[in-house]
């Protein structure tokens, strides 16, 4: 089962984990991304490409299902304004055993960072600037090529 | 064809979406970018650093050498930074 959510609503971690556990298999691996307060960031704003973002995330999860024996995959990404400490992204992979779940979860978050059309803008006081793509993120995604 | 822009590309151009009718010799994303930049200072500023531009054609990520002949929507944007 694939679950893709792109929404301005806060991410309900308990509900998402319970939904993943309801697959009734042996392993649930999850990743939660939290907005960092780097150098005084007061607010983070997420822009996305409506429709195309969801399609990209669906394609990523379908690739995960082809590469690993999974019962399901979930990607929940928040968009719009959010504050440090809030959840920005949640990924879950469910499988019979831990190796597939852990690897698929890492694959999903690594690839999401370079393949899904989201853009971050940080606000510090009255100043705002667009976050640059990090070479380390490009390298992390490339290890799954 | 409809053009959509995101992040600082959108801000520098001053709009997130526009309809254009490029001439017949505009066959690729790169040629479309050249044509837009030649006709508007705002577009020229947004497209000044080609290696920082990414594109999607009809919702599929492509290289700047991809064809735009007969397509409905071209998106131009910076490298993505989600997650």
């Amino acid at each position: 089962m694939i679950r893709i959510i792109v929404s301005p609503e806060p991410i309900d971690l308990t509900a998402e984990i319970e939904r993943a556990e309801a697959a009734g298999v042996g392993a649930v691996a999850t990743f939660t991304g939290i907005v960092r307060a780097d150098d005084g960031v007061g607010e983070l704003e997420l822009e996305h490409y409506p429709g195309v973002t969801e399609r990209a995330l669906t394609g990523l999860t379908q690739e995960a299902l082809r590469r690993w024996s999974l019962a399901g995959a979930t990607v929940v990404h928040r968009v719009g304004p959010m504050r440090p400490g809030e959840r920005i992204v949640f990924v879950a992979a469910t499988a019979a055993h831990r190796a597939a779940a852990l690897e698929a979860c890492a694959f999903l978050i690594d690839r999401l960072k370079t393949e899904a059309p989201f853009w971050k803008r940080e606000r510090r006081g009255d100043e705002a600037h667009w976050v640059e793509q990090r070479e380390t993120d490009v390298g992390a995604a490339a290890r799954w090529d | 064809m409809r053009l959509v822009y995101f992040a600082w590309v959108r801000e520098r151009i001053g709009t997130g979406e526009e309809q254009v009718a490029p001439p017949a010799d505009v066959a690729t994303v790169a040629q479309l970018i050249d044509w837009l930049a030649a006709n508007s200072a705002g577009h020229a500023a947004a497209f000044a650093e080609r290696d920082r531009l990414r594109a999607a054609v009809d919702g599929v990520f492509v290289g700047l050498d991809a064809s735009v002949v007969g397509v409905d929507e071209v998106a131009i944007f910076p490298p993505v930074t989600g997650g």
Side-chain angles (χ1 to χ4, degrees), chain A residues 46-50 52 55-56 77 88-89 109 112-121 130-134, chain B residues 4-11 52 54 56-61 73-83:
Chain A
L46 253 287
E47 181 169 325
H48 76 298
Y49 188 173
V52 175
R55 200 191 308 175
H77 207 299
I88 180 171
V89 63
I109 187 62
L112 180 157
K113 281 184 164 281
T114 58
E115 291 183 17
F118 293 101
W119 299 272
K120 286 191 183 104
R121 178 161 54 183
W130 294 98
V131 173
E132 296 285 332
Q133 191 172 56
R134 291 150 53 122
Chain B
V4 293
Y5 307 118
F6 295 98
W8 52 258
V9 174
R10 170 179 57 74
E11 288 186 335
R52 295 180 69 207
R54 302 291 182 271
V57 169
D58 289 340
V60 177
F61 280 52
E73 182 170 289
V74 178
I76 302 171
F77 44 81
V80 301
T81 55

Side-chain angles (χ1 to χ4, degrees), chain A residues 34-110:
Chain A
I34 310 286
V35 178
R36 288 186 305 265
D38 284 353
D39 306 322
V41 170
E43 186 183 84
L44 188 70
E45 200 176 335
L46 253 287
E47 181 169 325
H48 76 298
Y49 188 173
V52 175
T53 304
E54 290 84 346
R55 200 191 308 175
L57 295 176
T58 301
L60 266 185
T61 53
Q62 287 170 338
E63 186 177 345
L65 263 67
R66 279 194 299 273
R67 292 175 68 152
W68 291 277
S69 180
L70 302 179
T74 299
V75 178
V76 183
H77 207 299
R78 194 168 170 193
V79 292
M82 58 200 90
R83 303 238 166 227
E86 293 189 309
R87 298 178 194 114
I88 180 171
V89 63
F90 171 82
V91 173
T94 57
H97 301 285
R98 70 183 183 283
L102 287 165
E103 285 179 22
C105 183
F107 165 86
L108 286 168
I109 187 62
D110 283 347

